[in-house]
Coordinates of all heavy atoms in Angstrom, one line a residue:
M2 N 0.8 -1.2 0.0 CA 0.0 0.0 0.0 C 0.9 1.2 0.0 O 1.9 1.3 0.6 CB -0.9 0.0 1.2 CG -2.1 -0.8 1.2 SD -3.2 -0.3 2.5 CE -4.6 0.2 1.6
A3 N 0.4 2.3 -0.6 CA 1.1 3.5 -0.6 C 0.9 4.3 0.7 O -0.2 4.2 1.3 CB 0.6 4.4 -1.8
D4 N 1.9 5.1 1.1 CA 1.8 5.9 2.3 C 0.8 7.1 2.0 O 0.7 7.6 0.9 CB 3.1 6.5 2.7 CG 4.0 5.4 3.3 OD1 3.4 4.4 3.8 OD2 5.2 5.5 3.2
A5 N 0.2 7.6 3.1 CA -0.6 8.8 3.0 C 0.2 10.0 2.7 O 1.4 10.1 3.1 CB -1.4 9.0 4.3
V6 N -0.4 11.0 2.1 CA 0.3 12.2 1.8 C 0.7 12.9 3.1 O -0.2 13.1 3.9 CB -0.5 13.1 0.8 CG1 0.2 14.5 0.6 CG2 -0.8 12.4 -0.5
G7 N 1.9 13.3 3.2 CA 2.3 14.1 4.4 C 2.6 13.2 5.6 O 2.7 13.7 6.7
S8 N 2.8 11.9 5.4 CA 3.1 11.0 6.5 C 4.6 11.2 6.9 O 5.3 11.9 6.2 CB 2.8 9.6 6.2 OG 3.7 9.1 5.2
I9 N 5.0 10.5 7.9 CA 6.3 10.7 8.4 C 7.3 10.1 7.4 O 8.4 10.6 7.2 CB 6.5 10.0 9.8 CG1 5.7 10.7 10.8 CG2 7.9 9.9 10.2 CD1 5.6 10.0 12.1
D10 N 6.9 9.0 6.7 CA 7.8 8.3 5.7 C 8.0 9.2 4.5 O 9.1 9.2 3.9 CB 7.2 7.0 5.4 CG 7.2 6.1 6.6 OD1 8.0 6.2 7.5 OD2 6.3 5.2 6.6
T11 N 7.0 9.9 4.0 CA 7.1 10.6 2.8 C 6.6 12.1 3.1 O 5.5 12.4 3.0 CB 6.2 10.0 1.7 OG1 4.9 10.0 2.1 CG2 6.7 8.7 1.3
P12 N 7.5 13.0 3.4 CA 7.1 14.3 3.7 C 6.7 15.1 2.5 O 7.1 14.7 1.4 CB 8.4 15.0 4.3 CG 9.5 14.1 3.8 CD 9.0 12.8 3.6
D13 N 5.8 16.0 2.6 CA 5.4 16.9 1.5 C 6.5 17.7 1.0 O 7.5 18.0 1.7 CB 4.3 17.8 2.0 CG 3.0 17.1 2.4 OD1 2.8 16.0 1.9 OD2 2.2 17.7 3.1
A14 N 6.4 18.0 -0.3 CA 7.5 18.8 -0.9 C 7.6 20.2 -0.3 O 8.7 20.7 -0.2 CB 7.2 18.9 -2.4
Q15 N 6.5 20.7 0.2 CA 6.5 22.1 0.8 C 7.2 22.1 2.2 O 7.6 23.1 2.7 CB 5.1 22.7 0.9 CG 4.2 21.9 1.8 CD 2.8 22.3 1.6 OE1 2.4 23.1 0.8 NE2 1.9 21.7 2.5
D16 N 7.2 20.9 2.8 CA 7.9 20.8 4.1 C 9.4 20.9 4.0 O 10.1 21.3 5.0 CB 7.5 19.5 4.8 CG 6.0 19.5 5.2 OD1 5.4 20.6 5.3 OD2 5.5 18.4 5.5
E17 N 9.9 20.6 2.9 CA 11.4 20.6 2.7 C 11.9 22.0 2.5 O 11.3 22.8 1.7 CB 11.8 19.7 1.5 CG 11.5 18.2 1.8 CD 11.9 17.4 0.6 OE1 12.6 17.9 -0.3 OE2 11.4 16.2 0.5
L18 N 12.9 22.4 3.2 CA 13.5 23.7 3.1 C 14.5 23.8 2.0 O 15.3 22.9 1.8 CB 14.2 24.1 4.4 CG 13.2 24.2 5.6 CD1 14.1 24.5 6.8 CD2 12.2 25.3 5.4
P19 N 14.5 24.9 1.2 CA 15.6 25.1 0.2 C 16.9 25.2 0.9 O 17.0 25.5 2.1 CB 15.2 26.4 -0.5 CG 13.9 26.8 0.1 CD 13.6 26.0 1.2
E20 N 18.0 25.0 0.1 CA 19.3 25.0 0.6 C 19.7 26.4 1.3 O 20.4 26.4 2.3 CB 20.3 24.7 -0.5 CG 20.3 23.3 -1.0 CD 20.6 22.3 0.1 OE1 21.5 22.6 0.9 OE2 20.0 21.2 0.2
A21 N 19.1 27.5 0.7 CA 19.5 28.8 1.3 C 18.9 29.0 2.7 O 19.5 29.6 3.5 CB 18.9 29.9 0.4
K22 N 17.7 28.4 3.0 CA 17.1 28.6 4.3 C 17.6 27.6 5.3 O 17.5 27.8 6.5 CB 15.6 28.4 4.1 CG 14.9 29.6 3.4 CD 13.4 29.4 3.5 CE 12.8 30.6 2.9 NZ 11.3 30.6 3.0
K23 N 18.3 26.5 4.9 CA 18.8 25.5 5.8 C 20.0 26.1 6.5 O 20.3 25.6 7.6 CB 19.2 24.2 5.1 CG 18.0 23.4 4.7 CD 18.5 22.1 4.1 CE 17.3 21.2 3.7 NZ 17.6 20.0 3.1
K24 N 20.7 27.0 6.0 CA 21.9 27.6 6.6 C 21.5 28.4 7.8 O 20.5 29.2 7.7 CB 22.7 28.4 5.6 CG 23.3 27.7 4.5 CD 24.1 28.6 3.6 CE 24.6 27.8 2.4 NZ 25.3 28.6 1.5
G25 N 22.2 28.3 8.9 CA 21.9 29.0 10.1 C 22.3 30.5 9.9 O 23.2 30.9 9.3
R26 N 21.5 31.4 10.6 CA 21.8 32.8 10.5 C 22.9 33.1 11.6 O 22.9 32.5 12.6 CB 20.5 33.6 10.8 CG 19.6 33.5 9.7 CD 18.2 34.2 9.9 NE 18.3 35.3 10.9 CZ 17.2 35.9 11.3 NH1 16.0 35.5 10.9 NH2 17.3 36.8 12.2
K27 N 23.7 34.1 11.2 CA 24.7 34.5 12.2 C 24.2 35.7 13.0 O 24.3 36.8 12.5 CB 26.0 34.8 11.4 CG 26.6 33.7 10.7 CD 27.9 34.1 10.1 CE 28.5 32.9 9.3 NZ 29.7 33.3 8.6
G28 N 23.8 35.4 14.2 CA 23.4 36.5 15.1 C 22.0 37.0 14.9 O 21.4 37.4 15.9
G29 N 21.5 37.1 13.7 CA 20.1 37.6 13.5 C 20.0 39.1 13.7 O 21.0 39.8 13.6
K30 N 18.8 39.6 14.0 CA 18.6 41.0 14.1 C 19.2 41.6 15.4 O 19.6 42.7 15.4 CB 17.1 41.3 14.0 CG 16.5 41.0 12.7 CD 15.0 41.4 12.8 CE 14.3 41.1 11.4 NZ 12.9 41.3 11.5
R31 N 19.3 40.8 16.4 CA 19.8 41.3 17.7 C 21.2 41.6 17.6 O 21.7 42.5 18.3 CB 19.5 40.3 18.8 CG 18.1 40.2 19.2 CD 17.9 39.3 20.3 NE 16.5 39.2 20.7 CZ 16.0 38.3 21.6 NH1 16.8 37.6 22.2 NH2 14.7 38.3 21.8
A32 N 22.0 40.9 16.9 CA 23.4 41.1 16.8 C 23.8 42.5 16.2 O 24.9 43.0 16.4 CB 24.1 40.0 16.1
K33 N 22.9 43.0 15.4 CA 23.1 44.2 14.6 C 22.9 45.5 15.5 O 23.3 46.6 15.1 CB 22.3 44.3 13.4 CG 22.6 43.2 12.4 CD 21.7 43.2 11.2 CE 22.0 42.0 10.3 NZ 21.1 42.0 9.2
K34 N 22.2 45.4 16.6 CA 21.9 46.5 17.4 C 22.7 46.5 18.7 O 22.9 45.4 19.3 CB 20.4 46.5 17.7 CG 19.6 46.6 16.4 CD 18.1 46.6 16.8 CE 17.3 46.6 15.5 NZ 15.9 46.3 15.7
G35 N 23.0 47.6 19.2 CA 23.8 47.7 20.4 C 22.9 47.5 21.6 O 21.6 47.5 21.5
P36 N 23.5 47.3 22.8 CA 22.6 47.1 24.0 C 21.7 48.2 24.4 O 20.6 48.0 24.9 CB 23.7 46.8 25.1 CG 25.0 47.3 24.6 CD 24.9 47.3 23.1
L37 N 22.1 49.5 24.2 CA 21.3 50.6 24.5 C 20.1 50.7 23.6 O 19.0 51.0 24.0 CB 22.1 51.9 24.5 CG 23.1 52.1 25.6 CD1 23.9 53.4 25.4 CD2 22.4 52.0 26.9
K38 N 20.3 50.3 22.3 CA 19.2 50.3 21.3 C 18.2 49.2 21.7 O 17.0 49.4 21.6 CB 19.7 50.2 19.9 CG 18.7 50.5 18.9 CD 19.4 50.7 17.5 CE 18.7 51.9 16.9 NZ 19.4 52.5 15.8
R39 N 18.7 48.1 22.1 CA 17.8 47.0 22.5 C 17.0 47.3 23.7 O 15.9 47.0 23.9 CB 18.6 45.7 22.7 CG 19.1 45.1 21.4 CD 19.7 43.7 21.7 NE 20.8 43.9 22.6 CZ 21.6 42.9 22.9 NH1 21.6 41.8 22.3 NH2 22.6 43.1 23.8
L40 N 17.7 48.0 24.7 CA 17.0 48.5 25.9 C 15.9 49.5 25.6 O 14.8 49.4 26.1 CB 18.0 49.1 26.9 CG 17.5 49.4 28.2 CD1 17.0 48.2 28.9 CD2 18.6 50.1 29.0
A41 N 16.2 50.4 24.6 CA 15.2 51.4 24.2 C 14.0 50.7 23.5 O 12.8 51.1 23.8 CB 15.8 52.4 23.3
I42 N 14.2 49.7 22.7 CA 13.1 49.0 22.1 C 12.3 48.2 23.1 O 11.1 48.2 23.1 CB 13.7 48.0 21.0 CG1 14.3 48.7 19.8 CG2 12.7 47.0 20.6 CD1 15.1 47.9 18.9
F43 N 13.0 47.6 24.1 CA 12.3 46.9 25.2 C 11.4 47.9 25.9 O 10.2 47.6 26.2 CB 13.3 46.3 26.1 CG 12.7 45.5 27.2 CD1 12.0 44.4 27.0 CD2 12.9 46.0 28.5 CE1 11.5 43.7 28.1 CE2 12.4 45.3 29.6 CZ 11.6 44.2 29.4
Y44 N 11.9 49.1 26.2 CA 11.1 50.1 27.0 C 9.9 50.5 26.1 O 8.8 50.6 26.7 CB 12.0 51.3 27.3 CG 11.2 52.4 28.0 CD1 10.8 52.3 29.3 CD2 10.9 53.6 27.3 CE1 10.1 53.3 29.9 CE2 10.2 54.6 27.9 CZ 9.8 54.4 29.2 OH 9.1 55.4 29.8
R45 N 10.1 50.7 24.8 CA 9.0 51.1 24.0 C 7.9 50.0 23.9 O 6.7 50.3 23.9 CB 9.5 51.4 22.6 CG 9.9 52.9 22.5 CD 10.2 53.3 21.0 NE 11.6 53.4 20.9 CZ 12.4 52.8 20.0 NH1 11.9 52.0 19.1 NH2 13.7 53.0 20.1
Q46 N 8.4 48.7 23.9 CA 7.4 47.6 23.9 C 6.6 47.6 25.2 O 5.4 47.3 25.2 CB 8.1 46.3 23.7 CG 8.7 46.2 22.2 CD 9.5 44.9 22.1 OE1 10.0 44.3 23.0 NE2 9.8 44.6 20.8
I47 N 7.3 47.9 26.3 CA 6.6 47.9 27.6 C 5.5 48.9 27.6 O 4.3 48.7 28.0 CB 7.5 48.1 28.8 CG1 8.4 46.9 29.0 CG2 6.8 48.4 30.0 CD1 9.5 47.1 30.0
V48 N 5.8 50.1 27.1 CA 4.9 51.2 27.1 C 3.7 50.9 26.2 O 2.5 51.1 26.5 CB 5.6 52.6 26.7 CG1 4.6 53.7 26.4 CG2 6.6 53.0 27.7
A49 N 4.0 50.3 25.0 CA 3.0 49.9 24.1 C 2.0 48.9 24.7 O 0.8 48.9 24.5 CB 3.6 49.4 22.8
E50 N 2.6 47.9 25.5 CA 1.7 46.9 26.1 C 0.8 47.5 27.2 O -0.3 47.2 27.4 CB 2.6 45.8 26.7 CG 3.1 44.8 25.6 CD 2.1 44.1 24.9 OE1 1.1 43.7 25.4 OE2 2.3 43.9 23.6
L51 N 1.4 48.5 27.9 CA 0.6 49.1 29.0 C -0.5 50.0 28.4 O -1.5 50.2 29.1 CB 1.6 50.0 29.9 CG 2.4 49.2 30.9 CD1 3.4 50.2 31.6 CD2 1.6 48.5 31.9
R52 N -0.3 50.5 27.2 CA -1.4 51.2 26.6 C -2.6 50.3 26.2 O -3.7 50.8 26.1 CB -0.9 52.0 25.4 CG -0.1 53.2 25.7 CD 0.3 54.0 24.5 NE 1.1 55.1 24.9 CZ 2.2 55.5 24.3 NH1 2.6 54.9 23.2 NH2 2.9 56.5 24.7
K53 N -2.3 49.0 26.0 CA -3.4 48.1 25.7 C -4.2 47.7 26.9 O -5.3 47.1 26.7 CB -2.8 46.8 25.1 CG -2.1 47.1 23.7 CD -1.5 45.8 23.3 CE -0.6 45.9 22.0 NZ 0.0 44.7 21.6
V54 N -3.7 47.9 28.1 CA -4.4 47.5 29.3 C -5.7 48.3 29.5 O -5.7 49.5 29.3 CB -3.5 47.6 30.5 CG1 -4.2 47.3 31.8 CG2 -2.2 46.8 30.4
V55 N -6.7 47.6 29.9 CA -8.0 48.2 30.2 C -8.0 48.5 31.7 O -8.1 47.5 32.5 CB -9.2 47.3 29.8 CG1 -10.5 48.0 30.2 CG2 -9.2 47.0 28.3
W56 N -7.7 49.7 32.1 CA -7.6 50.1 33.5 C -9.0 50.2 34.1 O -9.9 50.7 33.5 CB -6.9 51.4 33.6 CG -5.5 51.3 33.1 CD1 -5.0 51.7 31.9 CD2 -4.4 50.7 33.8 NE1 -3.7 51.5 31.8 CE2 -3.3 50.8 32.9 CE3 -4.2 50.1 35.0 CZ2 -2.0 50.4 33.2 CZ3 -2.9 49.7 35.3 CH2 -1.8 49.8 34.5
P57 N -9.2 49.7 35.4 CA -10.5 49.8 36.0 C -10.8 51.3 36.4 O -9.9 52.1 36.7 CB -10.3 48.9 37.3 CG -8.8 48.9 37.6 CD -8.2 49.1 36.2
T58 N -12.1 51.5 36.5 CA -12.5 52.9 37.0 C -12.3 52.9 38.5 O -12.1 51.9 39.1 CB -14.0 53.1 36.6 OG1 -14.8 52.1 37.3 CG2 -14.2 53.0 35.1
R59 N -12.5 54.1 39.0 CA -12.4 54.3 40.5 C -13.4 53.4 41.2 O -13.1 52.8 42.2 CB -12.5 55.7 40.9 CG -12.3 56.0 42.3 CD -12.3 57.5 42.7 NE -11.2 58.2 42.1 CZ -10.0 58.3 42.7 NH1 -9.9 57.8 43.9 NH2 -9.1 59.0 42.2
G60 N -14.6 53.4 40.7 CA -15.7 52.6 41.3 C -15.3 51.1 41.3 O -15.5 50.4 42.3
Q61 N -14.9 50.6 40.2 CA -14.5 49.2 40.1 C -13.3 48.9 41.0 O -13.3 47.8 41.7 CB -14.1 48.8 38.7 CG -15.2 48.8 37.7 CD -14.7 48.6 36.2 OE1 -13.6 49.0 35.9 NE2 -15.5 48.1 35.4
L62 N -12.4 49.8 41.1 CA -11.2 49.6 42.0 C -11.6 49.5 43.4 O -11.2 48.7 44.2 CB -10.2 50.7 41.8 CG -8.8 50.5 42.4 CD1 -8.1 49.3 41.8 CD2 -7.9 51.7 42.1
T63 N -12.6 50.4 43.8 CA -13.1 50.4 45.2 C -13.8 49.1 45.5 O -13.7 48.5 46.5 CB -14.0 51.6 45.4 OG1 -13.3 52.8 45.1 CG2 -14.5 51.7 46.8
T64 N -14.6 48.6 44.5 CA -15.4 47.4 44.7 C -14.4 46.2 44.8 O -14.6 45.4 45.7 CB -16.3 47.1 43.5 OG1 -17.2 48.3 43.4 CG2 -17.1 45.9 43.7
Y65 N -13.4 46.1 44.0 CA -12.5 45.0 44.0 C -11.7 45.0 45.3 O -11.5 44.0 45.9 CB -11.5 45.1 42.9 CG -12.1 45.0 41.5 CD1 -11.5 45.5 40.4 CD2 -13.3 44.3 41.3 CE1 -12.0 45.4 39.1 CE2 -13.9 44.2 40.0 CZ -13.2 44.8 38.9 OH -13.8 44.7 37.7
T66 N -11.3 46.2 45.8 CA -10.5 46.3 47.0 C -11.4 45.9 48.2 O -10.9 45.2 49.1 CB -10.0 47.8 47.2 OG1 -9.3 48.1 46.1 CG2 -9.2 47.9 48.5
T67 N -12.6 46.3 48.2 CA -13.5 45.9 49.3 C -13.7 44.4 49.3 O -13.7 43.8 50.4 CB -14.9 46.6 49.1 OG1 -14.7 48.1 49.1 CG2 -15.8 46.3 50.3
V68 N -13.9 43.8 48.2 CA -14.1 42.4 48.1 C -12.9 41.6 48.6 O -13.0 40.7 49.4 CB -14.5 41.9 46.7 CG1 -14.4 40.4 46.5 CG2 -15.8 42.4 46.3
V69 N -11.7 42.1 48.3 CA -10.5 41.4 48.7 C -10.4 41.6 50.2 O -10.0 40.6 50.9 CB -9.3 42.0 48.0 CG1 -8.0 41.6 48.6 CG2 -9.3 41.6 46.5
I70 N -10.6 42.8 50.8 CA -10.5 43.0 52.2 C -11.5 42.1 53.0 O -11.1 41.5 54.0 CB -10.6 44.5 52.6 CG1 -9.4 45.2 52.1 CG2 -10.8 44.7 54.1 CD1 -9.4 46.7 52.2
V71 N -12.7 42.1 52.5 CA -13.7 41.2 53.2 C -13.4 39.8 53.1 O -13.5 39.0 54.1 CB -15.1 41.5 52.6 CG1 -16.1 40.4 53.0 CG2 -15.6 42.9 52.9
F72 N -12.9 39.3 52.0 CA -12.4 37.9 51.8 C -11.3 37.6 52.8 O -11.3 36.5 53.5 CB -12.0 37.6 50.4 CG -11.5 36.2 50.2 CD1 -12.4 35.2 50.1 CD2 -10.2 36.0 50.1 CE1 -11.9 33.9 49.9 CE2 -9.7 34.7 49.9 CZ -10.6 33.6 49.8
V73 N -10.3 38.5 52.9 CA -9.2 38.2 53.8 C -9.7 38.2 55.3 O -9.2 37.3 56.0 CB -8.1 39.3 53.6 CG1 -7.1 39.3 54.7 CG2 -7.4 39.1 52.2
V74 N -10.6 39.1 55.7 CA -11.1 39.1 57.0 C -11.8 37.8 57.3 O -11.7 37.2 58.4 CB -12.0 40.4 57.3 CG1 -12.8 40.3 58.6 CG2 -11.1 41.6 57.3
V75 N -12.7 37.3 56.4 CA -13.4 36.1 56.6 C -12.4 34.9 56.7 O -12.6 34.1 57.6 CB -14.4 35.9 55.4 CG1 -14.9 34.4 55.4 CG2 -15.5 36.9 55.5
M76 N -11.4 34.9 55.9 CA -10.4 33.8 55.9 C -9.7 33.8 57.3 O -9.4 32.8 57.9 CB -9.5 33.8 54.8 CG -10.1 33.5 53.4 SD -11.0 32.0 53.4 CE -9.7 30.8 53.6
I77 N -9.3 35.0 57.7 CA -8.6 35.2 59.0 C -9.5 34.6 60.1 O -9.1 33.9 61.0 CB -8.2 36.6 59.3 CG1 -7.1 37.0 58.4 CG2 -7.9 36.8 60.8 CD1 -6.7 38.5 58.5
G78 N -10.8 35.0 60.1 CA -11.8 34.5 61.1 C -11.9 33.0 61.0 O -11.9 32.3 62.1
L79 N -12.0 32.4 59.8 CA -12.1 30.9 59.7 C -10.9 30.2 60.2 O -11.0 29.2 61.0 CB -12.3 30.6 58.2 CG -12.5 29.2 57.8 CD1 -13.8 28.7 58.4 CD2 -12.5 29.0 56.3
V80 N -9.7 30.7 59.9 CA -8.5 30.1 60.4 C -8.4 30.2 61.9 O -7.9 29.3 62.6 CB -7.2 30.7 59.7 CG1 -5.9 30.3 60.3 CG2 -7.2 30.3 58.2
T81 N -8.8 31.4 62.4 CA -8.7 31.6 63.9 C -9.7 30.6 64.6 O -9.3 30.0 65.6 CB -9.1 33.0 64.2 OG1 -8.3 33.9 63.6 CG2 -9.1 33.3 65.7
V82 N -10.9 30.4 64.1 CA -11.8 29.5 64.7 C -11.3 28.0 64.6 O -11.4 27.3 65.6 CB -13.2 29.6 64.0 CG1 -14.1 28.4 64.4 CG2 -13.8 30.9 64.4
I83 N -10.7 27.6 63.5 CA -10.2 26.3 63.3 C -9.0 26.1 64.3 O -8.9 25.1 64.9 CB -9.8 26.0 61.9 CG1 -11.1 25.9 61.0 CG2 -9.0 24.7 61.7 CD1 -10.8 25.8 59.5
D84 N -8.1 27.1 64.4 CA -7.0 27.0 65.2 C -7.4 26.9 66.7 O -6.9 26.1 67.5 CB -6.1 28.2 65.0 CG -4.8 28.1 65.9 OD1 -4.1 27.1 65.8 OD2 -4.5 29.1 66.6
Y85 N -8.4 27.7 67.1 CA -8.9 27.7 68.4 C -9.5 26.3 68.8 O -9.2 25.7 69.8 CB -9.9 28.8 68.6 CG -10.5 28.9 70.0 CD1 -9.7 29.5 71.0 CD2 -11.8 28.5 70.3 CE1 -10.2 29.6 72.3 CE2 -12.3 28.6 71.6 CZ -11.5 29.1 72.6 OH -12.0 29.2 73.8
G86 N -10.3 25.8 67.8 CA -10.9 24.5 68.0 C -9.9 23.4 68.1 O -10.0 22.5 69.0
L87 N -8.9 23.4 67.2 CA -7.9 22.3 67.3 C -7.0 22.4 68.5 O -6.6 21.4 69.1 CB -7.0 22.4 66.0 CG -7.7 22.0 64.7 CD1 -6.8 22.2 63.5 CD2 -8.1 20.5 64.8
S88 N -6.7 23.6 69.0 CA -5.9 23.7 70.2 C -6.7 23.2 71.4 O -6.1 22.5 72.2 CB -5.5 25.2 70.4 OG -6.6 26.0 70.7
H89 N -8.0 23.5 71.5 CA -8.7 23.0 72.6 C -8.9 21.4 72.5 O -8.9 20.7 73.5 CB -10.1 23.6 72.7 CG -10.0 25.0 73.4 ND1 -9.9 25.1 74.7 CD2 -10.1 26.2 72.9 CE1 -9.8 26.3 75.1 NE2 -10.0 27.1 74.0
A90 N -9.0 20.9 71.3 CA -9.1 19.5 71.1 C -7.8 18.8 71.5 O -7.8 17.7 72.1 CB -9.4 19.2 69.6
A91 N -6.7 19.4 71.2 CA -5.4 18.9 71.5 C -5.2 18.9 73.1 O -4.7 17.9 73.6 CB -4.3 19.6 70.9
K92 N -5.6 20.0 73.7 CA -5.6 20.0 75.2 C -6.5 19.0 75.8 O -6.1 18.4 76.8 CB -6.0 21.4 75.6 CG -4.9 22.5 75.4 CD -5.4 23.8 76.0 CE -4.4 24.9 75.6 NZ -4.9 26.2 76.0
Y93 N -7.6 18.7 75.2 CA -8.5 17.7 75.8 C -7.9 16.3 75.6 O -8.0 15.5 76.5 CB -9.9 17.8 75.0 CG -10.9 16.8 75.5 CD1 -11.5 16.9 76.7 CD2 -11.2 15.7 74.7 CE1 -12.4 16.0 77.2 CE2 -12.1 14.7 75.1 CZ -12.7 14.9 76.4 OH -13.6 13.9 76.8
V94 N -7.4 16.0 74.4 CA -6.8 14.7 74.2 C -5.5 14.5 75.0 O -5.4 13.4 75.6 CB -6.6 14.5 72.6 CG1 -5.8 13.2 72.4 CG2 -7.9 14.5 71.9
F95 N -4.6 15.4 75.0 CA -3.3 15.2 75.6 C -3.2 15.8 77.0 O -2.2 15.7 77.6 CB -2.2 15.8 74.7 CG -2.2 15.2 73.3 CD1 -2.5 15.9 72.2 CD2 -1.7 13.9 73.2 CE1 -2.5 15.3 71.0 CE2 -1.7 13.3 72.0 CZ -2.0 14.0 70.8
G96 N -4.3 16.3 77.5 CA -4.2 16.7 78.9 C -4.0 18.1 79.1 O -3.7 18.7 79.9

């Protein structure tokens, strides 16, 4: 039987790279620029990414902060109750 097109045994013709592309590049684009230029590009990319961020409004920020504080207080209370209960159980068991 013949192999299916694109199988491991018979790769497609488009999968094969020409001889020019098989050679490795020496350094690439980064080697052509100095460290200060790369740092400036990095900084510009950071600023561009921060411009894409959807910042919360003051109301949303207040709501999120309140929810986090309430959650933390509830968790502190829960851990305190469990700790108190386990400490009294240990005192009861071990004297």
Side-chain angles (χ1 to χ4, degrees):
M2 280 194 120
D4 289 333
V6 175
S8 70
I9 296 173
D10 298 329
T11 57
D13 293 336
Q15 63 191 6
D16 291 342
E17 296 179 14
L18 296 174
E20 291 298 321
K22 289 188 178 181
K23 284 186 179 179
K24 294 180 182 177
R26 290 176 25 187
K27 294 182 181 177
K30 293 180 180 178
R31 289 187 181 172
K33 296 177 183 175
K34 298 176 182 170
L37 291 178
K38 195 162 222 167
R39 287 188 302 192
L40 188 63
I42 291 172
F43 179 69
Y44 177 73
R45 274 189 252 126
Q46 289 174 346
I47 289 174
V48 171
E50 287 297 321
L51 285 175
R52 285 189 181 133
K53 294 178 187 177
V54 173
V55 178
W56 297 99
T58 63
R59 183 174 294 271
Q61 290 173 332
L62 193 61
T63 304
T64 302
Y65 298 156
T66 305
T67 305
V68 167
V69 168
I70 290 173
V71 167
F72 177 77
V73 168
V74 168
V75 167
M76 291 307 294
I77 288 172
L79 182 66
V80 170
T81 302
V82 167
I83 291 172
D84 184 51
Y85 183 76
L87 289 176
S88 68
H89 279 287
K92 283 181 186 176
Y93 177 75
V94 169
F95 298 111

